[in-house]
Amino acid sequence: MTNRPAYRVARRALVLLPLLAAASLAGCGGGSGPPDPVGEWTGTLVTDKGTCPDQLPSRLLVGSRNISFIPSGGVLVLHGTLKPAPATLHAQLMLSDMNHKPLPMVFEGTQAADGSRIDGTYGTPSCRAHILMVRPVEHPFERVLGH
């Protein structure tokens, strides 16, 4: 004759065991690298040499594979790729000046080990600048008002 209460307890333990093991292992693999850089970053260019657009904040938009860098709140967008671990970012835009000579614009950046910032450089033939980018502070009420 089977002892029904003991059978039920054993059955529940067998059902819960895989769930408990999965929950205990959930935090084991994720803490090795910096946080994901995906999202929006802002900062202001600081001119090192030449004449740079350093009056307004610049934006960096990071997707899972692609990035877009918008210098000084302008209309030009440099496009590029994200290379993982550690996050290395490269974006560029190739234009022509009024004399039909190449006018390259390049952004290079790396994410800090703690994931708190992206340190970058921006360059054109007439500009060399560095930039420290951080995630913008969210103000949901300002978004409602359109600011």
Side-chain angles (χ1 to χ4, degrees), residues 17-29:
L17 186 61
L19 294 174
L20 292 173
S24 67
L25 293 175
C28 290

Side-chain angles (χ1 to χ4, degrees), residues 1-2 4 16 23 26 37 43-45 70 75 97 110 119:
M1 189 160 164
T2 305
R4 287 213 182 264
L16 292 176
T44 302
L45 292 167
I70 304 140
V75 295
D97 67 9
T110 54
D119 298 305

Side-chain angles (χ1 to χ4, degrees), residues 53-103:
D54 56 9
Q55 296 78 27
L56 297 172
S58 299
R59 292 177 61 205
L60 176 65
L61 306 173
V62 181
S64 60
R65 292 186 201 144
N66 299 317
I67 68 166
S68 299
F69 179 74
I70 304 140
S72 193
V75 295
L76 298 176
V77 180
L78 287 65
H79 295 281
T81 57
L82 169 68
K83 294 179 184 169
T88 304
L89 306 115
H90 173 85
Q92 64 185 25
L93 177 63
M94 182 64 80
L95 299 174
S96 297
D97 67 9
M98 63 185 202
N99 296 323
H100 304 288
K101 293 184 180 178
L103 179 62

Side-chain angles (χ1 to χ4, degrees), residues 6-21:
Y7 175 75
R8 287 182 186 158
V9 169
R11 188 171 145 190
R12 285 184 186 154
L14 287 175
V15 170
L16 292 176
L17 186 61
L19 294 174
L20 292 173

